[in-house]
Amino acid sequence: MTATKTEIDTLVVGAGQAGVAMSEHLSKLGVPHLVLERNRIAERWRTARWDSLVANGPAWHDRFPGLEFSGFGPDDFVPKEKVADYFVEYAKKFEAPIRTGVEVKQVIRNTDRPGFTVETSEGVIQANRVVAATGPFQKPSIPPIAPKDEQITQLHSANYRNPEQLPEGGVLVVGAGSSGVQIADELNRAGKDVYLSVGAHDRPPRSYRNRDFVWWLGVLGLWDLEAMKPGTEHVTIAVTGAHGEKGTVDFRELGAQGIKLVGLTEKFDNGVATFAPNLVENVNRGDENYLALLDAADAYIERNGLDLPEEPEARRMLPDPECMTNPILDLNLAEAGIKTIIWATGFSVDYSWLQVNAFDENGKPQHQRGVSTEPGIYFIGLPWLSRRGSTFIWGVWHDAKHVADHIATQRKYLEYQDASERQTEQR
């Protein structure tokens, strides 16, 4: 791009997994488009994750249909840098029209012509359609309860890299989804004194009866659920690929290994952290989710006559560790030697650049399977865009196909000519 005015049918903003998938489908349908990325392709996989992160699903599952991971077996969990390299390779495979180092600053609807005016760091673009493929992990979210204490290092999980990055002393990890659990485990293995604040969560087995949990969710139809069950909107999933097929998250085991589990973090006051008395309840409900999936898997095996080895040890629970039988409700951070708080508390979206009528009063995108309430605006890569699997690599690919098909259909309508128009063109 140059600092001039450019016209394009469809502009895709973001070149992570969502933007690359979107570009592939648009290319197959012959839709002229351009993908803009302010950094590098799949930048967040490289620089917004900790050093030791691997994909949460095995390589046979967490990929696009048209390319396998080079150098990895189907059951391997691919390191983050190689995941980023995969998307670069995939984009080259079909010569995706991606321009990196270009930031989209503003998108507004035109009033005197169709489409949108897009202001970028390298000029103005006129686009008939805009696809927001910036994903759900845009702004690290730290809750307002965070203490105003300069003696304590505080960082979001997006800024955590490795144990050596942290000062001497103990660590409180707030949030026990995939990120919080993996970071707490890594810090504990590195010899840190770790406290882990555990909220509501789902806890699937990493594998069961020779099948990874992603396989079970597939054959049981759980990836294709179209809406969350009521009351589960704030439930995270505690899963890891860090230890391969033996990587089932077990909070009792983490407690036995020395991590001090506490309940949901409620507040900080004068250097004292207060935790809700719900640790045991949260762990038990996670166990219920775990056992329910085992029950569903067993029933599926019996119903279909599959020959998969039984795994009775999967149902054996360790005894409750001391931190569960005698839960900590208040913790003086200084007395406990805690010098760092890591907030594994998720992200919020930032669509301040997208100044169109496509959001509700809370700034949440309004759409149906990625097709916005604002004609010509689309979203891709968001949680539950069409199903439970929408934020997984393969799920994004399928969602992008639906959005691309919608765009292609709209283009066909606009290309229609009535009889008089056809006659005029033939003369």
Side-chain angles (χ1 to χ4, degrees):
M1 287 181 61
T2 59
T4 59
K5 197 169 185 178
T6 302
E7 293 190 4
I8 193 69
D9 183 272
T10 300
L11 179 69
V12 181
V13 182
Q17 58 199 43
V20 172
M22 196 72 233
S23 182
E24 179 188 8
H25 291 299
L26 292 174
S27 296
K28 287 180 178 178
L29 293 169
V31 177
H33 68 283
L34 178 65
V35 183
L36 297 185
E37 167 59 52
R38 64 183 176 183
N39 295 303
R40 296 173 293 177
I41 295 174
E43 180 71 21
R44 291 190 179 277
W45 277 99
R46 298 190 192 278
T47 58
R49 307 286 191 272
W50 59 96
D51 295 345
S52 64
L53 177 70
V54 298
N56 273 342
W60 68 264
H61 184 265
D62 279 13
R63 64 177 180 86
F64 289 162
L67 183 68
E68 296 183 358
F69 283 96
S70 176
F72 293 91
D75 298 318
D76 291 340
F77 295 86
V78 182
K80 68 182 186 74
E81 287 288 341
K82 297 300 182 181
V83 174
D85 290 344
Y86 173 87
F87 291 119
V88 173
E89 182 182 357
Y90 202 93
K92 289 180 180 178
K93 183 172 179 285
F94 63 92
E95 298 181 341
I98 297 174
R99 302 291 183 269
T100 59
V102 182
E103 182 179 3
V104 174
K105 297 184 175 181
Q106 180 178 257
V107 175
I108 58 174
R109 176 171 284 285
N110 295 328
T111 57
D112 56 348
R113 57 171 292 179
F116 304 87
T117 294
V118 183
E119 295 183 10
T120 81
S121 58
E122 293 195 8
V124 176
I125 297 175
Q126 291 295 329
N128 294 330
R129 280 160 281 273
V130 176
V131 181
T134 50
F137 307 123
Q138 296 169 24
K139 292 177 60 178
S141 179
I142 295 180
I145 62 170
K148 307 297 189 290
D149 188 343
E150 296 181 356
Q151 302 302 312
I152 296 178
T153 298
Q154 299 187 60
L155 67 157
H156 191 269
S157 58
N159 303 116
Y160 169 76
R161 295 295 172 264
N162 52 61
E164 292 72 28
Q165 169 193 14
L166 305 184
E168 294 292 328
V171 183
L172 169 63
V173 179
V174 181
S178 293
S179 296
V181 165
Q182 292 181 59
I183 292 171
D185 181 50
E186 178 173 88
L187 292 172
N188 183 60
R189 291 169 186 263
K192 290 282 190 182
D193 190 21
V194 180
Y195 293 77
L196 176 61
S197 177
V198 181
H201 61 273
D202 284 346
R203 187 175 77 86
R206 175 69 270 174
S207 67
Y208 179 59
R209 300 183 71 169
N210 279 2
R211 294 292 186 271
D212 192 272
F213 96 94
V214 300
W215 189 88
W216 284 117
L217 264 58
V219 299
L220 294 172
L222 299 178
W223 283 129
D224 292 325
L225 293 176
E226 296 182 354
M228 299 181 188
K229 294 179 181 179
T232 64
E233 293 83 357
H234 302 292
V235 173
T236 61
I237 181 170
V239 65
T240 176
H243 308 298
E245 64 178 14
K246 299 187 181 300
T248 296
V249 172
D250 185 337
F251 286 99
R252 291 180 178 82
E253 183 177 1
L254 292 176
Q257 292 172 353
I259 294 178
K260 301 172 185 66
L261 308 176
V262 295
L264 188 74
T265 303
E266 291 187 325
K267 65 178 181 178
F268 294 85
D269 186 20
N270 292 324
V272 176
T274 300
F275 308 106
N278 60 4
L279 172 62
V280 173
E281 176 187 354
N282 290 337
V283 172
N284 287 340
R285 286 189 175 181
D287 292 342
E288 291 173 7
N289 170 261
Y290 169 84
L291 293 171
L293 186 55
L294 301 192
D295 290 342
D298 287 342
Y300 180 89
I301 290 171
E302 183 177 359
R303 185 168 63 249
N304 290 279
L306 300 184
D307 184 19
L308 294 176
E310 293 188 4
E311 195 177 338
E313 62 274 14
R315 295 178 179 273
R316 297 194 183 108
M317 298 289 180
L318 294 172
D320 289 353
E322 168 68 16
C323 55
M324 288 182 63
T325 58
N326 186 24
I328 300 169
L329 301 181
D330 297 291
L331 183 67
N332 186 301
L333 302 181
E335 292 179 1
I338 292 176
K339 300 297 184 180
T340 303
I341 300 175
I342 296 178
W343 296 95
T345 44
F347 297 78
S348 61
V349 295
D350 180 9
Y351 290 112
S352 57
W353 54 274
L354 191 53
Q355 298 176 16
V356 296
N357 187 26
F359 306 95
D360 64 16
E361 62 275 9
N362 297 316
K364 183 179 179 180
Q366 293 183 300
H367 66 88
Q368 182 68 30
R369 294 189 64 185
V371 180
S372 168
T373 53
E374 174 77 62
I377 297 292
Y378 300 85
F379 296 96
I380 191 73
L382 296 178
W384 293 90
L385 191 88
S386 69
R387 68 192 85 185
R388 180 178 181 176
S390 284
T391 48
F392 277 70
I393 292 171
W394 63 271
V396 166
W397 189 90
H398 288 285
D399 284 347
K401 184 178 187 303
H402 173 77
V403 171
D405 286 342
H406 188 277
I407 290 173
T409 299
Q410 290 300 305
R411 279 170 50 82
K412 289 179 181 178
Y413 281 120
L414 294 174
E415 290 169 357
Y416 171 78
Q417 293 180 324
D418 61 30
S420 63
E421 291 170 323
R422 291 194 295 269
Q423 290 174 358
T424 300
E425 189 173 275
Q426 290 171 359
R427 289 173 185 167

